[in-house]
Structures are given as structure tokens and as C-alpha cells.
């Protein structure tokens, strides 16, 4: 079992009124960065890095980062910078990037170089992950959406080749052309860092991940459709002649642990409904339906079960249609009143559906077990420290996770036989040989 | 939208191994009519009016409607090349070439390649040139229906044409067409910096028609065409938006037939 920690690093602004649950109506890509305060940004970047470093101390195996653009819900537009800092400061945890948005890179050679540098600085702790991005990424960096999937595949093929085939060589592809490929930076890991593929929507991507035997990480989707998507991965794996295992299945879900159930609920509400992350499910940001439907971005006939489910489509807030029904500008009291019948998931209904797990270690651990038993993932990521949670809220949760939840979940992983990708090799399907420190010392060149 | 019940026929022509669908009707000198980026809507009242004086051919542009997609095409010029071959194969030369919006851009590109195949050029709210005032609207932030509504001066006219938000089949057409358009133009959106210098060589008469209330392609684009083409006249139609053929079909038909001397 591989256990990672994630926060989306929202731009948290308690004061402007823009990002508050009772503030102005918020529409994705319709907010001016005139309201962006770099001093606040400085505090937040440093806070989120500190929390990641503490997460390693608390025993997490992986520190997960992600990337979005031109939106307040994620400050990781250039997550490789954060990854590079963590590479230098942390000692043991994997740095898991889920993921770089390949199709929006016009120069994937640059990305190959950056990732190789991060892998070297961390001495081989990089897990690289690649995504196609949401509509807002294609809009923000003006990547031609009908070629998103082609560019994703070509950039992947190119970067893997840049990492594994000695240069110089030339690349004259459909979407990328390079006259001289010979990066003076090679990944520390041989042949290259593990590649994991996160996603929610596209069957194309699942087929493709299964074909390459890359672990597929479902991002905070509902349990049943997630299970169906893993089943689909497994079917595709069989088509490609192998039997997938837990090491091929990863799952990110919202978990917050606190000292009392009451405090956990209070913070849980801040997490999904409070200021600062308006596009979290249950919050009030409105996502333009056109952004989820850019021309040719996702093949219309190839959508995963999670894509068809309401929660995945609404996982970044409410749709315009829902807002028209009154959701867009509802007050907290109105939301509370409606929440039992609210399929879009305010805090309480999300809790019932396991899309957020909150409580004390004692109440959280059985719920995590339910998730593990239902989905049988080999890697999981606790998504915490989000929304309007304070640094103190995050740190309390991290401490309790470290003290009680992680040890218990490790035991569950063993008991339920859920090896992660560093225990069971996703490619060879064989157990990964444990490298002893002595063996590594022998393998490492003198002076390393 | 109901297509007019009239005497028109449908045919296909093969170009570069791709089947192209063409609707034809009327008698007289040849006119080839090109649809918007939102796709072909069939035989329209405007076509019916034009067909009284002209032989009208309205192809589904390659990749739109029932014409096969050239998966390799990356620019409206590629479409113009295919269209030029289709016109030659259907023996429609010399023809009056009429293009609306994106179809106007394709028409202008084709005109630069082979002006001798044309008797005249009619551009209605044509994209293709960068306006100095205003910008060509970006559909990305609009739903399909809302984008088409931007094409009307009077939104009631949208409802008359498509119902409150367009039928399922219209939304499908707009979705499909937006994808094809996005394969052909993206950076920059809806214009070509290489077009204006070549328009100087288009030595056929040109009629430029713009709806006075065009919110999709600014009237300034019409002025750019007027400045770039050697023999062009710009006519502004009051009370119409971008979709002049739907809001003022009779007025547009009169302008075109008068221009054609038909």
C-alpha cells in the first residue's frame, strides 16, 4: 500500500469577498487577477510547502502535487517549481506529480529536462504523471483542443524517448519537431521515473494507460463509478495480455482527521463549502459547461462511468444549469436546508457518499477501510488541507494521520493484500526487490 | 429550421479521395455558396430566391455536414484547395463565389489561388482578416445555442429559426462543426495574416455585405477587405446581425443578383 498526501493549494482569500461562500457569484475563468495579492500568495506557497514537508515527517510515502491554470482553486500552475523545492528539502518521500498537462506544452523537451532535474535533485524520488488537462488548461494556454489527445500521446512518446535513447537525434512528428534532441540532463531512475496517469473522464486514456501498464489514479470520483472504471482498466489489461493488480489502481479522496468529531465536521465544512476553493464539489463556484466541452477535447462516445456520473462532472462546482436552479448564489443556510435532496453534494451528502471522510482517527479508519475494500487500490492519496482550512487545521490532521491513521491503513493494506506500485512492479507484475541500504551503497558511485 | 420545399437536387463529388456533398438548384449563371463555421443548414429561403436567377451550388465544406473530414487539414486554405477542385470537377467555372463568415474566409483564400475561376466574389460577414477595431468573437465561452444567438440582431429571429435553444439535431450540428472549425483555425482565431497581401491580386469584382449589427465579425473586417481587394464595394444591411441570410434573405438575394447582373 502506497499512501500519499495531497492538497490542491487553493488561493485562500478570506477577505476579498470573491472566494467566500456568501460572496459574489463566481464563474470559472471569469474572475480578474486584479484581486490577486502576491503577498498572500507568498504566505500560501510557503505554508503549503511546510505542510508537505511535515507530511513526510508524519510518514506519508508520497507528496502529491497537481497543476491547473488561471483559476484560484489550485496555485500549482508551475508545480515543477514546488516539486524541485521538495526534491531538495525532503529526504524519503516520493514526489508524485499528477500531473503535468502534456498537450499544453509546445516544448516537451523542456519538460523532459525539468523532470530529469527534479529526479536527480531528489536522487530518484520522482513519480511523474501526465494528464490531458481540463478545458480551462487548454483555454488558458491556448492549446488546440481537437488535437489534445494526439499531442498527449506524441509528447509522451517523445519524452520517454528523450529519457531513454542517447542523443543526439531528430524528431519530426505530427505536432512536435526538434532538430537536435540531446538533453544534458538524464533521469536518475533507470530507465526513467515511474509514470502514473491520473484522470476521471476519458476511456481513451484508460485504454492507453492499461496498454502501457501505467497505474491509473482516479481523482476523487464516487466509489461505484470508480470501481467500474477500475474494472474497465482490468478488462483492457486482459486485452493487452496481462492481469492488472492493485498496483495499477490508485485513488485520491478527501480525508480530514481531527481531535473530535465535532471539530472534524466544523473543519470539513470549511473544506468543501467555505471561502477559497469555490469550485470544490458542494461549493458555489459555477463552472462554464463550455469549458467541459471544448471542441474535440474528449471523444463524445468514450466517456467513463465516472464521467457519466453527476459527481465527476460537478466535481469542480456547480454547472450553469444547477446555478439556474438557485444553487449559484444560495446562502449557507439555504444550502443546508436543501442539502438532503441536493444531488450536487453539500458537505453532509458528500459525507454520506464517502466523497469526503472526516472524523477522529477512530471514526475515519473504518471508513478508509470501506474504501479500500470497495476499490482495492494499491495506492491512495488523502486529500486534505483544502478550502478555507487554516494551517493549524491541516497540521492537526497531519499529526493524527501520522500517529494513528497511516499505521492502521498500512496494516489494512497488508491484510487486504493491496500491494502498491513500489511493492509489485506494474510492468513486470513481479514483486519489487527491496533494495537494502548496503546494496545501494555498493551500487552508488564513490562520493555519491 | 425547415428547409424550403423546392426544386433542388443533391449530388456528391470526390476530391482527394473524399466525398463532398453538394445541394444544387436553379438556372442561370453558376453561383457557389459557402456556409458558416456552424455548418450547413440545407436549402434555405435565400437559396430559393437566388435560384430564380442563378444556378446555385451549396456544398457542405469538407469536414462539415455530410462531407467527409480531411483529417490532415489544418487551415482554411486546405479547405479552399479541395473546394477549388470540386468546383472544377463539377464544371461550375467560372462561378460567382459567395461565402458567409468562415465560408467567406474560405472563399477569399480560394479567390487568391485562382481568380480566373471566378466571375465575382461575394463576402458576407467574412472572417479571414484581423480587424483593427473590435475582435472576431470567440465561441469558446458560449454554449452552442448562445453562440448562434450572437449571430442575430434580433434574438426573436433566432427563436423563429431554431426554437428556444435549437433542436437536438441543430446542437449536434453546431457541436460537430465547432470541432471541425477548431481543427482549421485556432492561433490566431479566425484570420490569416498572409491573406491580405494576396488579395491585391484578386482582380474580379467583389461585393462585401455586412449586417450593421454584426456581433461576430466586426464591420471593420469588411473595411479591411474593401481596402485589400482591388475592386470591392461594401454594403451595410441595416437591421441585420452576422447571419444576414437568415435575418434579411430578400435584401441579400437582391444585392447578390443585382451584383451578378442576373
Amino acid at each position: 500500500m502506497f499512501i500519499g498526501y495531497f492538497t490542491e493549494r487553493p488561493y485562500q482569500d478570506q477577505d476579498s469577498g470573491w472566494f467566500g461562500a456568501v460572496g459574489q457569484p463566481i464563474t470559472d475563468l471569469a474572475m480578474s487577477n486584479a484581486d490577486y495579492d502576491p503577498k498572500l500568495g507568498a504566505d500560501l506557497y510557503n505554508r503549503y510547502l511546510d505542510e508537505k514537508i511535515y507530511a513526510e515527517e508524519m510518514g506519508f510515502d508520497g507528496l502529491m502535487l497537481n497543476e491547473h491554470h488561471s483559476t484560484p482553486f489550485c496555485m500549482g500552475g508551475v508545480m515543477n517549481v514546488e516539486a524541485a523545492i521538495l526534491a531538495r528539502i525532503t529526504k524519503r518521500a516520493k514526489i508524485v506529480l499528477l500531473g503535468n498537462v502534456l498537450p499544453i506544452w509546445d516544448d516537451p523537451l523542456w519538460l523532459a529536462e525539468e523532470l530529469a532535474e527534479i529526479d536527480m535533485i531528489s536522487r530518484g524520488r520522482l513519480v511523474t504523471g501526465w494528464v490531458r488537462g481540463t478545458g480551462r488548461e487548454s483555454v488558458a494556454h491556448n492549446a488546440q483542443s481537437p488535437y489534445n489527445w494526439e499531442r498527449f500521446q506524441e509528447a509522451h512518446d517523445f519524452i520517454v524517448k528523450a529519457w531513454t535513447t542517447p542523443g543526439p537525434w531528430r524528431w519530426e512528428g505530427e505536432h512536435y519537431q526538434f532538430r537536435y534532441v540531446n538533453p544534458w540532463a538524464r533521469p536518475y531512475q533507470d530507465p526513467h521515473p515511474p509514470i502514473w496517469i491520473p484522470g476521471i473522464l476519458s476511456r481513451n486514456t484508460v485504454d492507453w494507460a492499461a496498454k502501457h501498464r501505467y497505474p491509473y489514479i482516479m481523482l476523487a470520483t464516487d466509489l461505484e463509478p470508480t470501481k467500474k472504471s477500475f474494472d474497465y482498466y482490468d478488462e483492457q489489461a486482459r486485452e493487452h495480455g496481462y492481469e492488472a493488480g492493485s498496483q495499477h489502481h490508485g485513488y485520491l479522496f478527501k480525508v480530514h482527521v481531527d481531535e473530535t468529531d465535532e471539530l472534524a465536521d466544523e473543519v470539513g465544512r470549511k473544506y468543501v463549502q467555505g471561502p477559497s476553493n469555490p469550485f470544490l464539489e458542494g461549493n458555489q463556484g459555477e463552472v462554464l459547461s463550455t469549458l467541459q466541452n471544448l471542441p474535440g477535447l474528449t471523444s463524445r462516445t468514450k466517456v467513463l462511468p465516472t464521467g457519466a456520473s453527476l459527481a465527476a462532472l460537478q466535481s469542480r462546482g456547480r454547472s450553469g444549469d444547477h446555478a439556474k436552479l438557485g444553487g449559484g448564489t444560495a446562502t449557507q443556510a439555504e444550502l443546508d436546508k436543501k442539502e438532503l435532496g441536493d444531488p450536487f453534494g453539500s458537505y453532509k451528502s458528500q459525507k454520506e457518499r464517502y466523497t469526503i471522510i472526516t472524523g477522529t482517527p477512530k471514526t475515519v479508519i473504518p471508513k478508509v477501510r470501506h474504501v479500500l475494500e470497495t476499490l482495492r487500490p494499491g495506492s491512495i492519496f488523502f486529500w486534505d488541507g483544502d478550502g478555507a482550512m487554516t494551517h493549524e487545521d491541516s497540521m492537526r490532521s497531519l499529526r493524527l494521520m501520522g500517529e494513528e491513521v497511516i499505521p492502521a491503513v498500512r496494516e489494512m493494506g497488508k491484510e487486504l493484500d493491496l500491494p502498491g506500485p513500489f511493492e509489485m512492479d506494474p510492468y513486470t507484475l513481479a514483486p519489487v526487490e527491496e533494495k537494502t541500504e548496503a546494496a545501494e551503497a555498493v551500487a552508488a558511485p564513490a562520493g555519491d | 429550421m425547415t428547409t424550403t420545399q423546392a426544386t433542388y437536387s443533391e449530388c456528391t463529388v470526390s476530391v482527394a479521395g473524399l466525398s463532398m456533398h453538394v445541394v444544387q438548384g436553379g438556372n442561370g449563371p453558376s453561383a457557389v455558396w459557402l456556409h458558416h463555421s456552424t455548418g450547413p443548414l440545407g436549402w434555405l429561403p435565400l437559396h430559393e430566391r437566388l435560384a430564380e436567377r442563378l444556378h446555385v451550388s451549396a456544398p457542405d465544406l469538407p469536414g462539415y455536414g455530410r462531407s467527409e473530414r480531411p483529417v490532415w487539414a489544418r487551415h482554411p486554405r486546405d479547405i479552399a484547395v479541395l473546394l477549388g477542385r470540386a468546383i472544377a470537377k463539377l464544371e461550375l467555372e467560372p462561378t460567382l463565389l459567395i461565402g458567409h463568415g468562415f465560408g467567406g474566409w474560405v472563399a477569399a483564400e480560394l479567390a487568391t489561388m485562382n481568380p480566373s475561376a471566378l466571375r465575382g466574389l461575394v463576402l458576407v460577414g467574412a472572417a479571414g482578416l484581423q480587424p483593427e477595431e473590435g475582435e472576431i468573437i470567440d465561441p469558446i465561452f458560449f454554449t452552442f445555442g448562445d453562440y448562434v444567438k450572437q449571430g442575430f440582431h434580433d434574438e426573436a429571429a433566432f427563436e423563429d429559426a431554431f426554437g428556444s435553444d435549437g433542436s437536438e439535431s441543430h446542437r449536434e450540428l453546431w457541436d460537430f462543426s465547432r470541432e471541425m472549425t477548431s481543427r482549421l483555425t485556432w492561433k490566431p482565431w479566425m484570420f490569416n495574416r498572409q491573406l491580405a497581401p494576396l488579395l491585391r491580386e484578386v482582380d474580379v469584382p467583389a461585393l462585401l455585405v455586412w449586417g450593421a449589427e454584426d456581433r461576430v465579425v466586426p464591420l471593420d473586417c469588411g473595411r479591411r477587405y474593401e481596402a485589400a481587394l482591388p475592386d470591392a464595394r461594401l454594403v451595410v444591411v441595416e437591421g441585420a446581425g452576422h447571419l444576414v441570410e437568415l435575418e434579411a434573405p430578400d435584401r441579400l438575394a437582391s444585392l447578390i443578383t443585382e451584383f451578378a447582373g442576373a
Side-chain angles (χ1 to χ4, degrees), chain A residues 62-141:
Chain A
L63 308 174
M64 169 180 163
L65 296 166
N66 72 330
E67 174 184 329
H68 283 287
H69 294 266
S70 299
T71 176
F73 74 72
C74 174
M75 294 175 68
V78 195
M79 71 165 169
N80 293 1
V81 168
E82 297 168 85
I85 293 165
L86 291 174
R88 177 63 182 132
I89 294 175
T90 60
K91 299 291 178 220
R92 180 191 52 79
K94 305 287 184 190
I95 295 154
V96 185
L97 305 184
L98 298 180
N100 287 117
V101 187
L102 289 191
I104 68 173
W105 283 77
D106 283 332
D107 182 352
L109 179 59
W110 200 327
L111 179 59
E113 292 175 304
E114 282 187 15
L115 295 174
E117 281 192 40
I118 294 166
D119 199 37
M120 284 186 283
I121 293 167
S122 67
R123 296 189 195 278
R125 289 184 288 123
L126 175 67
V127 174
T128 187
W130 296 333
V131 298
R132 297 174 57 188
T134 66
R136 68 176 72 73
E137 275 67 59
S138 284
V139 169
H141 285 266

Side-chain angles (χ1 to χ4, degrees), chain A residues 209-285:
Chain A
K211 181 181 157 197
H212 287 83
R213 306 190 179 195
Y214 294 152
Y216 193 74
I217 317 298
M218 295 293 290
L219 302 176
T221 39
D222 276 6
L223 289 181
E224 267 313 303
T226 303
K227 189 168 181 336
K228 282 187 193 150
S229 298
F230 287 159
D231 290 345
Y232 182 67
Y233 183 105
D234 296 352
E235 282 168 32
Q236 293 305 306
R238 271 176 226 118
E239 295 276 309
H240 294 293
Y242 71 99
E243 199 64 37
S246 59
Q247 71 271 29
H248 296 99
H249 302 160
Y251 185 53
L252 166 75
F253 55 116
K254 302 189 201 104
V255 181
H256 175 74
V257 189
D258 224 315
E259 287 160 355
T260 65
D261 284 319
E262 293 70 31
L263 190 53
D265 274 336
E266 187 189 312
V267 176
R269 281 185 184 278
K270 276 200 274 182
Y271 185 152
V272 298
Q273 289 176 330
S276 87
N277 196 339
F279 304 113
L280 272 183
E281 183 188 7
N283 216 330
Q284 294 180 5

Side-chain angles (χ1 to χ4, degrees), chain A residues 275-298:
Chain A
S276 87
N277 196 339
F279 304 113
L280 272 183
E281 183 188 7
N283 216 330
Q284 294 180 5
E286 183 181 324
V287 180
L288 291 174
S289 59
T290 50
L291 287 182
Q292 295 180 329
N293 193 27
L294 285 192
L297 187 65
T298 301

Side-chain angles (χ1 to χ4, degrees), chain B residues 3 18 23 53 62 68 80 95 114 118 148 186 193 196 203 206 260:
Chain B
T3 50
L18 301 163
V23 185
R53 309 280 182 84
E68 285 183 288
T95 188
N114 192 7
L118 305 188
V148 174
W186 191 269
R193 291 201 169 86
D203 54 358

Side-chain angles (χ1 to χ4, degrees), chain B residues 57-143:
Chain B
S57 301
D60 293 1
L61 290 171
Y64 293 83
R66 285 163 287 180
S67 292
E68 285 183 288
R69 172 186 286 183
V71 291
W72 45 266
R74 293 290 182 273
H75 196 278
R77 269 190 192 173
D78 300 333
I79 301 303
V81 174
L82 292 170
L83 182 70
R85 292 301 304 142
I87 289 170
K89 285 188 171 182
L90 291 168
E91 298 180 347
L92 300 173
E93 293 176 345
T95 188
L96 179 68
L97 185 59
I98 307 162
H100 289 249
F102 173 80
W105 180 6
V106 173
E109 295 282 359
L110 177 55
T112 65
M113 293 168 194
N114 192 7
S116 57
L118 305 188
R119 286 196 303 115
L121 180 65
V122 180
L123 304 179
V124 186
L129 298 180
Q130 182 176 25
E132 289 178 16
E133 287 170 30
E135 285 185 289
I136 298 171
I137 203 171
D138 180 1
I140 289 298
F141 294 99
F142 292 94
T143 62

